[in-house]
Amino acid sequence: MNYNDLRNAIDRVGQVPCESAPDLMFHEEGSLATINSKLSKIICSNCPIINECLQYALDNDEIYGTWGGCTPQERKRLKKAAGQHSRLVR
């Protein structure tokens, strides 16, 4: 999935929850990182395109932020478990 595919998915549903709180989606290391990570996952849990978002992050090796309800570390584990060329979400 490329950026245009993701953008089309967003346009199809109108607005996605993370657009109202982008700073929570890209959290730095430190004391607020754990809180922001948990909050970003809550935001993602209400998203109608959570699967498309996760697939975009996996396909494009996004290394920052929460995408599709997964942190960078979680996405790394998913890719490792599935193999580099497997598609996890369809």
Side-chain angles (χ1 to χ4, degrees):
M1 172 171 284
N2 63 37
Y3 179 76
N4 287 332
D5 296 330
L6 181 61
R7 205 55 247 171
N8 288 337
I10 293 168
D11 291 344
R12 187 179 70 245
V13 298
Q15 186 176 5
V16 291
C18 63
E19 290 178 317
S20 64
D23 291 344
L24 286 178
M25 308 313 287
F26 295 91
H27 28 83
E28 300 290 327
E29 297 297 322
S31 60
L32 290 178
T34 301
I35 293 169
N36 285 353
S37 177
K38 289 179 181 181
L39 290 173
S40 65
K41 288 176 173 225
I42 291 169
I43 290 169
C44 287
S45 72
N46 295 308
C47 185
I49 63 159
I50 190 170
N51 293 335
E52 292 94 331
C53 184
L54 177 57
Q55 190 63 57
Y56 169 80
L58 293 170
D59 288 349
N60 294 281
D61 296 320
E62 285 288 344
I63 60 171
Y64 299 107
T66 299
W67 293 81
C70 292
T71 64
Q73 297 82 10
E74 292 166 333
R75 291 192 304 274
K76 189 174 183 179
R77 285 193 299 264
L78 283 173
K79 283 193 88 156
K80 185 176 181 181
Q84 288 290 1
H85 302 291
S86 296
R87 292 186 64 86
L88 296 177
V89 182
R90 294 197 183 250

